[in-house]
Amino acid sequence: LRVSTLLLFRALIRGFPDEFFDAGAQTQIGNIRPHVVSLLFRSLISEPVEAVAASSSTLHDALLLGVSGDCRGAEGSGTKSHRLPKELIQTCIRPILLHLRDHTKLTLCLLRGLSRLLALLSSWFNKTLGEKLLEHLHKFTEPDNIIAAQIWTPGDEPKVAAAIFDLFSLLPQAAQFVEALVKTTIRLEAVLPRYRPCELISPFREPLSKYLNRHCASASGFFLEEHRLGNPMYSDLFLDLLKRDESAPLRKYMSGRECTVMLLNVCFERPLAIIRSEKNSATPTGKTTSSSLAAYGINQWNSPSSQRKLEVVRQEIEMKHHYLSQKIKEETLLTKSNEIASSAADQPDTQVALQAARRAVERAKEDLNETRRAYTHEISKATFQVLPDKDSPTQRPMTTTALELQYQGFKIVEVLISHDSAYLPEHNDVVRGFRWLWRSRGRHYRLLHEEEMPPRYHSESLILAKFLTSYSKANPTDVDVLFDLIRIFLQPSSIDFSFVKQFLNDTVSEVLSSEQKCQVMQRFLTLLSSDGSDETKTLSLQMLVYPMLRSTFRQTTKNYPPPTANTLNKILPDATIKDLILILCKDGSSFHPKLTCELLRLINILLENIRNKLTEHRKDMIKYIWNILKSDDNGTKYFGYLVVSRFVVVFETPPKVTLQVYVSLLRSHHSTEKHMVRAALDTLVPSLPNRLTEDELGNAIKYTLKLMYEQVNSVPQLAHLWDIITRNPNVYIGHKSKFLPHMVNSLTKLGLSPNAPAENKELSVELAKLIVTWVEFNEPVKLVGGAQHEWGNEHSSKNSCRGFLEPVVNFLIRMAIVNAEGKADRSQNKLRIRILSVLNDIISVRQDYEIIAAPLERVRAHCEEACTTKNNPPDSIHKDDFGMSANAKKNIKSISHQNSTTQSYHSSPQKKDEICAAHDALSVCLEIFLIFQRHDPRNYFIQKHLCIILPFGFSHLASNDDSNLKQVIKSLLTLTLADGDASSESLSSIICLLNNAISCSVLNPAVSARQCQEKKCGSYLAIEIIEEVSARNRIFVESFIGSLVDFAFVNAKSLILEIEKSKNPQPMQQLAGNAKWLPATPTIGIFETACNLGFKTPSSGSKELENERLDTKIVTVKEVDDIEPSTCALISCLRLIASSSIRLNFSERRRKFIDVLNMLLDSCKKLPILITVVAVIRKWLTEEDGRFGPLTRGEREDFLWK
């Protein structure tokens, strides 16, 4: 109702202003006018907020419409005349002002209303109101009194004080309160935690920032004083106020010319004065001393080493003080003893001891005093302000205060830049000052002596770097800044300046125009010809010139088109190229080797990309490079060879020079710069056929062969030569008949020599691959002199190929085994893969090689030793009913003989390494067998040694559970047994081995649990192999019926015992793995799944499950996930037995198998096994083999009943 009434009055005043203001006092309107105005003023300090807003809006209209004559546009000015009587306005204001006399009467409503009143009638108030408000604010700095008064709701006290603060921004001519308000803010924030609940964010800074925005000149003048900027209490407050979003007017004023000059004079006057003094001083820079470092604000006693030195002296004082206390105690005891002895009789010995003790005390006191004096001296040196020398460039050194002022200046500028990116480009004096500071000796020294500086000032270089990068982004035409920025990398630092490097790279690559890139090159040439440090020139090349040229020539990406000739002429005009060559010829000999290498790299880039521009300078260029080849520094010399090689590729070069460079590089095998020599040869060698005639190329080949003859015993030289040939085979293929014998003879020296490095081993494998490639290349080859060379007729070609390839095959086999016996790492695995790949390529091309058995015997010896060490040799095979020949039995028994004495398992690291090495060698050996079995299965090497090594594979598989070894054995035996290429002796040995692997986990019940588990791994693999081979050859399983039945019986019995021992057996539904459906009952589900009744799944709707047929006479069931290996083995075993002829042979084995099925049906709760059992029974029940099938009537009735 009140709000509506106020809005009604507002409408009346707006609609009838003359009637309202001009009505006489005796009229009805004139009579109620004072009451209406009084109501409006009282509503300003009332509740709710809507009434306050309505009354404020109505008063605003009333005062605006009440301006008489021409003064309406000057609201708030002291000259306007209201149509409302002055006495009426004063009468209405007086009740509000009366509440301000006592701070206990202040409320949030009153203060909000007063703020609106000030906004309407600010000219009616003077500074007395501000003083009274300030007095009230001081009351809130005493929280105990405020809280004890219990006037406001707990937690509202800071809000009331903040509301008082908010009034100052509305007071007219209130600039004199800046200092008082800032100090009051600091005191109020100090006691803010004592008001409960405590405010997390100060409520006083927002109103303070509003006030300072109206009085920017006074605020900047107050804060930009040395004693306040150097005080973190004021500086931190000022920085926070500047960062606030509502402080835009204050930041704008701070960005003005006047404030900028003030900021430079206050914050950077001392460091800039030192820089000017250094420029005006003619004193050269000498060795830095404590005095010279102190002039830059560096106190060496702040370093950890100096602090440790003082700590040592303090500990020495404590130790000597303790020693003195002990001597005083001894003296006291001797004094008492002497007094007792003197009363009895004269004791000269006591007097002597007392005198010695007193002398010891005196010496201890002297040592202690001397140590204390030394400590005092060190402390005085640490705290003494070192005065500058007479020759110092400045008489006003940097102090901690000066460092703090500089730090605060950086922070202020940082805030201004963060809100205005154009700040630095618009203030050249600030940029000039910062660039002076960046180049100054003081910044350099402070960065070098970081540990001796307070941590607060460690970021000086980082902040300056950010300023300069910001300026360069806004003003990319100033390329000198880029050269200034590289100074930061002249010395190491704990601060990460990688962003500067990235900025330089991005700027010169993507931002600069062609003209600006040309300026960068000219600026670099000016720097190169100056007396600046070579390190600065080197960094300029690395961080500016190289990235710029890479982006120009598009060497980093392939998506950009090549640069046009016009672009290249703008970036690298002929005058620039000429100046570069002149500087190199004139001053090149005086450069540091590192700079020389970088300049050679620059020449190499130019030769590769703009050879046409260098044609007229090639004589001067080769002269400069040729002089570098005589350098004593290897890095510089071989970089020169690289550039010379590039020069040979680009320009026509005398053959004598080309041969000389080639020969020098061939002999450079001892160089530490191998990568540079290799790069030079990779550049030079492919160009030899183009730069040399056939005779000259033949001379180069002859010299290469001569060097091989001379250095035949030098492995490094041979490795260097073969590395060249393997990397550039097309150059030497025309002379392969001369190189092949040397290549074969060098394989062992490179790859099998003791302590051969890894790169030599890799080189030997690549050399073997090259031999294979060259031998397979049987086309006529044009040799030196134009002659044609052929390999001869087919028979001679076959013999020559065998003569070269057979040693390579034997080398690769030996290399693979030796490599496997070494330390296992990533490089070893990579080399193994490469060796087997090359070996596979050779065997796939040609077969019937004569293989040396020595490496295999080595593997056999290692495996036997490993088995003896871990007491797990391959099990003996003694059964005679497997159809083995006498020789096969002899081979198997010779490697599987059990030790008569039991040996303990040694778990020492050395033994473990030996076992691992034997395991790796065995794995590689079996992979080699697999390669031969795929491409040359009738090889005598396979036929003879396969059955000797295989038993060790099963033994190591049990102990290591290596999936790779398991897969290799499985593939090898499956391929051997399925292809039918194995001899009868090998076949009988493998069958015996598989039978033994299955039986060993059944026939040895006395072994330990660990050995039993190990043997089971081999039996599981054997069953998998039998199942896979039987899928191709159905009668293969007949050789393993006895072992499979025994395995099934023992494992089924073990499974039943395990279920019976379990206290909380799980139901079958939970043991089914990740099956997609469950039947109504377990029995129905088993029967329907095994019999393929084809019920519907919930997810498939009407889609029926496909019936699984027994086309191969092997029982298959629906697989489920996460089945244990033992369960999988038992299921496979049941499948195999069911698919064999055992169902038709009424023998003891058949009866035993029937017992296994009954046992599993009665007690097993594993759903996959039950499904398999019922599937077997279903197949036998439905098999139409005779009238009643393979089951007797009793068996059929028994199974159906169950």
Side-chain angles (χ1 to χ4, degrees):
L1 181 59
R2 183 188 302 175
V3 174
S4 300
T5 304
L6 293 173
L7 294 177
L8 177 60
F9 285 139
R10 177 185 177 184
L12 291 174
I13 294 173
R14 280 187 172 184
F16 307 97
D18 295 334
E19 289 81 355
F20 182 78
F21 292 108
D22 296 338
Q26 302 301 324
T27 62
Q28 187 176 5
I29 296 178
N31 188 25
I32 67 171
R33 182 173 55 207
H35 301 285
V36 172
V37 175
S38 178
L39 174 64
L40 293 177
F41 277 99
R42 288 198 309 272
S43 298
L44 287 176
I45 57 175
S46 63
E47 295 280 358
V49 179
E50 291 81 1
V52 177
S55 62
S56 176
S57 176
T58 305
L59 273 176
H60 178 270
D61 291 342
L63 295 174
L64 182 62
L65 295 172
V67 178
S68 61
D70 299 331
C71 299
R72 293 193 176 189
E75 180 187 356
S77 65
T79 60
K80 68 182 181 178
S81 175
H82 291 286
R83 297 170 69 179
L84 289 175
K86 182 177 181 182
E87 294 78 8
L88 177 60
I89 296 177
Q90 290 177 345
T91 302
C92 295
I93 292 176
R94 187 175 295 109
I96 299 175
L97 297 180
L98 289 176
H99 289 82
L100 296 178
R101 292 182 178 180
D102 189 1
H103 73 281
T104 59
K105 296 181 180 181
L106 298 178
T107 63
L108 292 176
C109 295
L110 174 64
L111 295 172
R112 281 197 296 265
L114 185 58
S115 67
R116 293 180 180 271
L117 182 60
L118 284 172
L120 295 172
L121 298 170
S122 60
S123 61
W124 289 64
F125 300 91
N126 54 28
K127 66 177 183 178
T128 306
L129 177 60
E131 294 172 354
K132 192 63 178 180
L133 294 174
L134 190 60
E135 180 183 345
H136 293 333
L137 279 177
H138 289 162
K139 301 292 184 180
F140 287 87
T141 60
E142 300 173 358
D144 294 336
N145 297 335
I146 295 295
I147 296 173
Q150 296 183 356
I151 301 171
W152 299 279
T153 304
D156 284 349
E157 299 92 340
K159 297 179 182 178
V160 174
I164 297 175
F165 255 110
D166 209 10
L167 298 177
F168 284 91
S169 61
L170 302 173
L171 290 176
Q173 301 176 358
Q176 67 273 17
F177 297 111
V178 170
E179 181 175 357
L181 288 179
V182 171
K183 293 181 178 180
T184 303
T185 300
I186 294 173
R187 288 197 293 268
L188 285 173
E189 290 180 349
V191 300
L192 184 61
R194 297 170 64 179
Y195 290 104
R196 298 296 179 179
C198 178
E199 295 280 349
L200 297 178
I201 301 175
S202 173
F204 312 116
R205 298 200 175 189
E206 182 178 354
L208 179 61
S209 64
K210 292 180 182 178
Y211 170 76
L212 296 180
N213 285 337
R214 291 197 60 188
H215 309 284
C216 298
S218 300
S220 60
F222 173 79
F223 282 107
L224 294 182
E225 292 185 4
E226 290 189 9
H227 66 281
R228 291 198 178 94
L229 274 183
N231 188 345
M233 185 168 57
Y234 290 100
S235 59
D236 292 347
L237 175 62
F238 184 52
L239 288 173
D240 183 71
L241 293 174
L242 275 180
K243 294 177 183 177
R244 304 184 72 88
D245 295 336
E246 60 270 14
S247 297
L250 182 60
R251 287 194 296 269
K252 183 177 180 181
Y253 184 83
M254 289 293 299
S255 301
R257 174 66 180 173
E258 181 181 354
C259 273
T260 302
V261 174
M262 185 187 305
L263 183 66
L264 291 173
N265 291 336
V266 174
C267 298
F268 305 106
E269 184 272 335
R270 186 71 60 85
L272 293 178
I274 293 175
I275 296 173
R276 285 190 290 266
S277 300
E278 290 174 350
K279 290 183 177 181
N280 297 330
S281 175
T283 305
T285 304
K287 183 179 180 181
T288 57
T289 61
S290 299
S291 176
S292 60
L293 292 177
Y296 300 107
I298 302 171
N299 188 355
Q300 290 184 310
W301 294 102
N302 289 332
S303 63
S305 59
S306 300
Q307 293 298 321
R308 286 193 297 268
K309 185 177 180 181
L310 292 176
E311 182 63 26
V312 169
V313 179
R314 281 195 295 268
Q315 292 177 358
E316 187 178 358
I317 291 175
E318 293 177 0
M319 182 180 63
K320 291 187 176 180
H321 188 273
H322 180 67
Y323 177 74
L324 177 62
S325 301
Q326 290 181 341
K327 293 301 179 182
I328 291 175
K329 290 180 180 180
E330 293 178 4
E331 181 189 11
T332 303
L333 292 175
L334 288 174
T335 302
K336 292 181 180 180
S337 300
N338 185 48
E339 291 176 355
I340 296 173
S342 61
S343 61
D346 188 17
Q347 296 293 335
D349 294 339
T350 305
Q351 292 289 339
V352 172
L354 179 60
Q355 294 296 329
R358 288 175 178 173
R359 287 194 297 271
V361 170
E362 293 297 329
R363 286 195 300 269
K365 287 182 178 180
E366 291 178 0
D367 291 344
L368 179 60
N369 292 332
E370 183 178 355
T371 306
R372 284 176 175 172
R373 286 193 296 270
Y375 180 74
T376 304
H377 179 66
E378 296 293 339
I379 292 295
S380 63
K381 289 169 60 179
T383 57
F384 180 67
Q385 181 65 41
V386 182
L387 296 177
D389 299 332
K390 294 181 180 180
D391 297 332
S392 176
T394 177
Q395 296 296 324
R396 297 183 62 197
M398 288 288 289
T399 60
T400 304
T401 303
L403 290 172
E404 179 65 24
L405 290 174
Q406 178 179 265
Y407 176 77
Q408 295 300 332
F410 288 150
K411 289 297 182 181
I412 293 173
V413 175
E414 188 175 17
V415 173
L416 298 177
I417 293 175
S418 64
H419 290 84
D420 183 10
S421 59
Y423 176 82
L424 284 178
E426 293 175 356
H427 295 80
N428 293 329
D429 47 355
V430 176
V431 175
R432 182 169 56 253
F434 283 173
R435 293 176 73 168
W436 281 16
L437 292 174
W438 179 258
R439 301 169 186 167
S440 66
R441 194 181 305 166
R443 184 202 62 81
H444 175 73
Y445 285 156
R446 285 189 288 272
L447 185 62
L448 288 178
H449 299 83
E450 278 183 327
E451 64 174 10
E452 299 166 13
M453 295 290 297
R456 183 178 179 84
Y457 310 124
H458 286 181
S459 59
E460 176 187 2
S461 297
L462 178 63
I463 295 174
L464 282 171
K466 290 181 178 179
F467 287 160
L468 293 182
T469 54
S470 177
Y471 168 74
S472 182
K473 288 179 182 178
N475 190 16
T477 57
D478 191 353
V479 297
D480 288 343
V481 180
L482 304 178
F483 288 88
D484 287 338
L485 283 170
I486 63 174
R487 293 173 179 268
I488 196 60
F489 300 103
L490 292 175
Q491 61 278 329
S493 174
S494 61
I495 302 175
D496 182 17
F497 288 100
S498 58
F499 73 95
V500 177
K501 184 176 181 180
Q502 186 63 39
F503 167 75
L504 294 175
N505 182 81
D506 295 342
T507 301
V508 298
S509 301
E510 307 295 339
V511 178
L512 298 185
S513 62
S514 299
E515 292 76 10
Q516 292 165 352
K517 290 181 179 180
C518 181
Q519 293 178 16
V520 171
M521 282 300 301
Q522 293 174 355
R523 178 68 174 81
F524 166 70
L525 294 180
T526 303
L527 176 64
L528 186 63
S529 60
S530 66
D531 296 332
S533 66
D534 287 353
E535 192 171 359
T536 304
K537 301 172 184 178
T538 303
L539 289 174
S540 301
L541 275 168
Q542 294 173 344
M543 298 185 180
L544 296 178
V545 178
Y546 293 156
M548 183 184 70
L549 294 180
R550 280 198 300 267
S551 65
T552 301
F553 302 132
R554 302 300 179 188
Q555 295 180 350
T556 56
T557 59
K558 298 181 180 180
N559 299 327
Y560 292 94
T564 61
N566 186 27
T567 302
L568 291 178
N569 288 330
K570 289 182 179 179
I571 299 174
L572 294 169
D574 295 338
T576 301
I577 301 296
K578 181 179 180 180
D579 292 341
L580 174 62
I581 300 301
L582 290 177
I583 294 173
L584 293 179
C585 295
K586 181 181 178 182
D587 303 326
S589 59
S590 61
F591 291 146
H592 189 271
K594 187 175 182 180
L595 176 59
T596 302
C597 290
E598 296 300 330
L599 290 171
L600 290 172
R601 183 182 175 188
L602 174 61
I603 295 174
N604 188 46
I605 294 175
L606 296 179
L607 284 172
E608 188 176 0
N609 295 279
I610 53 169
R611 60 187 70 182
N612 295 331
K613 285 179 168 292
L614 299 174
T615 303
E616 60 182 82
H617 307 289
R618 60 181 184 273
K619 291 183 179 180
D620 294 333
M621 194 181 306
I622 193 63
K623 181 180 178 181
Y624 166 72
I625 301 172
W626 202 260
N627 290 331
I628 293 176
L629 299 183
K630 304 174 185 178
S631 173
D632 296 332
D633 182 76
N634 285 337
T636 306
K637 179 170 66 176
Y638 290 109
F639 218 130
Y641 275 113
L642 173 61
V643 180
V644 168
S645 301
R646 179 68 62 187
F647 187 91
V648 171
V649 174
V650 172
F651 298 118
E652 290 288 342
T653 309
K656 182 178 179 180
V657 174
T658 304
L659 286 174
Q660 185 176 353
V661 173
Y662 175 72
V663 170
S664 299
L665 290 174
L666 285 183
R667 290 186 172 276
S668 301
H669 65 281
H670 289 301
S671 172
T672 57
E673 304 290 337
K674 288 184 178 180
H675 64 285
M676 198 61 63
V677 175
R678 182 176 298 172
L681 285 167
D682 288 344
T683 303
L684 177 64
V685 172
S687 66
L688 291 180
N690 299 327
R691 292 288 178 248
L692 300 177
T693 63
E694 291 185 356
D695 294 339
E696 291 165 346
L697 182 60
N699 292 335
I701 300 298
K702 289 180 181 179
Y703 183 82
T704 306
L705 292 168
K706 178 183 177 183
L707 194 58
M708 287 183 182
Y709 282 115
E710 294 176 351
Q711 304 292 333
V712 67
N713 295 322
S714 176
V715 176
Q717 180 66 73
L718 287 178
H720 180 59
L721 293 174
W722 292 126
D723 181 66
I724 299 170
I725 294 174
T726 54
R727 295 170 71 90
N728 304 277
N730 295 331
V731 177
Y732 302 93
I733 191 172
H735 306 270
K736 62 181 181 180
S737 59
K738 299 178 182 178
F739 285 104
L740 280 172
H742 296 285
M743 296 168 75
V744 174
N745 293 334
S746 299
L747 289 176
T748 303
K749 294 180 180 179
L750 292 175
L752 297 175
S753 60
N755 301 321
E759 59 180 9
N760 281 8
K761 294 180 181 179
E762 296 174 1
L763 175 62
S764 65
V765 177
E766 295 302 322
L767 191 61
K769 177 64 176 177
L770 183 61
I771 293 173
V772 176
T773 303
W774 280 4
V775 167
E776 293 177 5
F777 186 74
N778 290 328
E779 297 179 5
V781 179
K782 190 174 183 180
L783 302 180
V784 178
Q788 298 288 329
H789 171 75
E790 297 185 8
W791 286 95
N793 56 30
E794 181 180 355
H795 180 70
S796 62
S797 175
K798 183 176 181 180
N799 291 335
S800 62
C801 291
R802 183 185 301 276
F804 288 121
L805 293 183
E806 197 167 87
V808 174
V809 172
N810 283 285
F811 163 77
L812 290 174
I813 294 174
R814 185 180 174 190
M815 182 71 182
I817 295 174
V818 171
N819 176 68
E821 294 173 349
K823 184 178 180 180
D825 54 16
R826 182 178 298 180
S827 61
Q828 182 205 44
N829 184 58
K830 181 180 178 181
L831 183 61
R832 177 185 65 84
I833 295 173
R834 183 58 179 162
I835 292 173
L836 295 178
S837 174
V838 176
L839 182 62
N840 184 75
D841 293 343
I842 298 177
I843 304 301
S844 63
V845 174
R846 301 182 187 276
Q847 294 82 33
D848 197 21
Y849 295 105
E850 183 177 349
I851 307 302
I852 300 174
L856 280 301
E857 295 294 335
R858 179 186 179 95
V859 174
R860 173 184 171 181
H862 283 322
C863 292
E864 288 179 348
E865 183 179 356
C867 290
T868 303
T869 301
K870 60 184 290 298
N871 194 23
N872 187 29
D875 297 280
S876 300
I877 301 174
H878 301 291
K879 294 190 176 183
D880 296 325
D881 56 351
F882 293 149
M884 293 177 57
S885 66
N887 291 333
K889 293 179 182 179
K890 183 178 180 180
N891 290 336
I892 296 295
K893 290 180 180 179
S894 66
I895 65 170
S896 60
H897 179 64
Q898 297 279 1
N899 292 329
S900 59
T901 59
T902 303
Q903 299 182 5
S904 61
Y905 177 67
H906 301 281
S907 59
S908 64
Q910 182 179 0
K911 296 297 182 181
K912 288 182 179 180
D913 293 342
E914 292 177 358
I915 293 174
C916 291
H919 172 268
D920 294 339
L922 177 63
S923 178
V924 170
C925 183
L926 292 175
E927 290 184 33
I928 294 173
F929 284 148
L930 182 59
I931 292 173
F932 275 92
Q933 186 62 41
R934 285 172 177 167
H935 304 293
D936 191 12
R938 297 183 181 276
N939 193 292
Y940 179 72
F941 171 73
I942 284 287
Q943 302 290 340
K944 180 178 179 181
H945 295 91
L946 177 61
C947 295
I948 299 177
I949 301 298
L950 266 178
F952 294 108
F954 279 88
S955 176
H956 279 267
L957 175 69
S959 59
N960 292 277
D961 194 19
D962 188 346
S963 58
N964 181 55
L965 180 61
K966 176 181 176 181
Q967 185 61 37
V968 171
I969 295 175
K970 184 177 179 181
S971 302
L972 177 60
L973 290 183
T974 302
L975 196 62
T976 303
L977 296 171
D979 290 348
D981 292 325
S983 63
S984 59
E985 182 178 354
S986 299
L987 186 62
S988 61
S989 299
I990 293 173
I991 293 175
C992 179
L993 176 65
L994 295 176
N995 265 306
N996 182 67
I998 299 172
S999 302
C1000 68
S1001 62
V1002 177
L1003 303 178
N1004 295 323
V1007 298
S1008 63
R1010 179 182 63 84
Q1011 292 176 330
C1012 181
Q1013 182 63 30
E1014 291 176 354
K1015 294 178 183 298
K1016 285 183 179 180
C1017 296
S1019 63
Y1020 298 160
L1021 176 60
I1023 291 174
E1024 289 182 19
I1025 295 172
I1026 294 171
E1027 186 176 23
E1028 188 165 343
V1029 176
S1030 298
R1032 306 178 187 180
N1033 185 5
R1034 291 170 52 188
I1035 64 173
F1036 181 73
V1037 72
E1038 303 296 336
S1039 302
F1040 307 94
I1041 297 300
S1043 300
L1044 291 175
V1045 171
D1046 292 339
F1047 179 86
F1049 182 80
V1050 172
N1051 282 270
K1053 190 174 182 179
S1054 175
L1055 178 63
I1056 300 304
L1057 291 175
E1058 180 182 350
I1059 293 174
E1060 291 177 353
K1061 291 180 181 179
S1062 177
K1063 295 182 179 179
N1064 297 312
Q1066 294 178 326
M1068 286 182 291
Q1069 290 92 333
Q1070 298 181 10
L1071 300 173
N1074 295 331
K1076 297 181 179 178
W1077 49 266
L1078 287 176
T1081 64
T1083 305
I1084 294 176
I1086 295 169
F1087 184 78
E1088 290 181 345
T1089 302
C1091 296
N1092 295 319
L1093 297 183
F1095 60 87
K1096 301 176 182 179
T1097 64
S1099 60
S1100 60
S1102 60
K1103 184 179 179 180
E1104 297 183 355
L1105 296 174
E1106 297 180 358
N1107 294 329
E1108 299 176 358
R1109 301 295 182 183
L1110 302 175
D1111 298 332
T1112 60
K1113 300 301 180 180
I1114 298 178
V1115 178
T1116 58
V1117 296
K1118 182 178 179 64
E1119 299 289 348
V1120 294
D1121 299 337
D1122 300 332
I1123 302 180
E1124 298 175 355
S1126 59
T1127 303
C1128 290
L1130 182 57
I1131 291 174
S1132 299
C1133 186
L1134 295 176
R1135 294 173 180 172
L1136 291 170
I1137 298 172
S1139 64
S1140 68
S1141 62
I1142 192 174
R1143 64 191 187 281
L1144 302 176
N1145 298 326
F1146 290 87
S1147 61
E1148 181 64 23
R1149 293 174 179 173
R1150 182 181 182 279
R1151 185 192 62 76
K1152 198 171 184 180
F1153 182 63
I1154 295 294
D1155 292 342
V1156 170
L1157 296 178
N1158 283 310
M1159 188 189 312
L1160 294 174
L1161 277 177
D1162 292 337
S1163 304
C1164 182
K1165 292 188 177 182
K1166 290 193 174 183
L1167 187 58
I1169 295 178
L1170 290 175
I1171 292 176
T1172 304
V1173 172
V1174 176
V1176 171
I1177 296 173
R1178 190 267 304 176
K1179 183 253 182 182
W1180 284 6
L1181 288 173
T1182 58
E1183 187 177 34
E1184 297 180 359
D1185 189 3
R1187 182 177 180 183
F1188 299 105
L1191 296 177
T1192 63
R1193 177 178 297 178
E1195 291 171 345
R1196 291 166 61 87
E1197 293 177 354
D1198 190 20
F1199 281 133
L1200 288 174
W1201 176 253
K1202 291 183 178 180

